[in-house]
Amino acid sequence: MLIDHLENIHRISRTFLADDGGATAIEYGLLAALIAVVCIASFKLTGASLDDVYVKWTTAVLAAL
C-alpha cells in the first residue's frame, strides 16, 4: 500500500515536472512586459524631442507674423 502511494506520487511529480505550459505563459508575459517597457521609454524620449520641435516651429511662426 505504501509502495502504491509512493508510485503515485512519483508518477504525478514526473507529470508535473514535464508540463511546460506554465513556463510558456510566463515567457510570453515577460516578453510582453519587455515590449511595453521599450515602448514607454521610446515614447518618452520621442515625446520630449517632438515637444522641442513643436516649440521651435511655433516660435518661428509667431516671429514671422
Side-chain angles (χ1 to χ4, degrees):
M1 181 152 177
L2 179 61
I3 300 292
D4 291 335
H5 287 305
L6 290 176
E7 286 177 359
N8 284 339
I9 291 171
H10 187 341
R11 181 178 48 81
I12 291 170
S13 63
R14 274 187 307 177
T15 304
F16 178 73
L17 292 175
D19 184 19
D20 62 349
T24 303
I26 290 172
E27 289 170 355
Y28 280 124
L30 289 173
L31 187 60
L34 178 64
I35 290 171
V37 168
V38 169
C39 286
I40 290 170
S42 65
F43 292 155
K44 285 198 174 275
L45 292 173
T46 305
S49 64
L50 287 178
D51 189 47
D52 292 342
V53 170
Y54 177 74
V55 168
K56 182 177 178 180
W57 278 97
T58 304
T59 305
V61 168
L62 289 175
L65 294 175

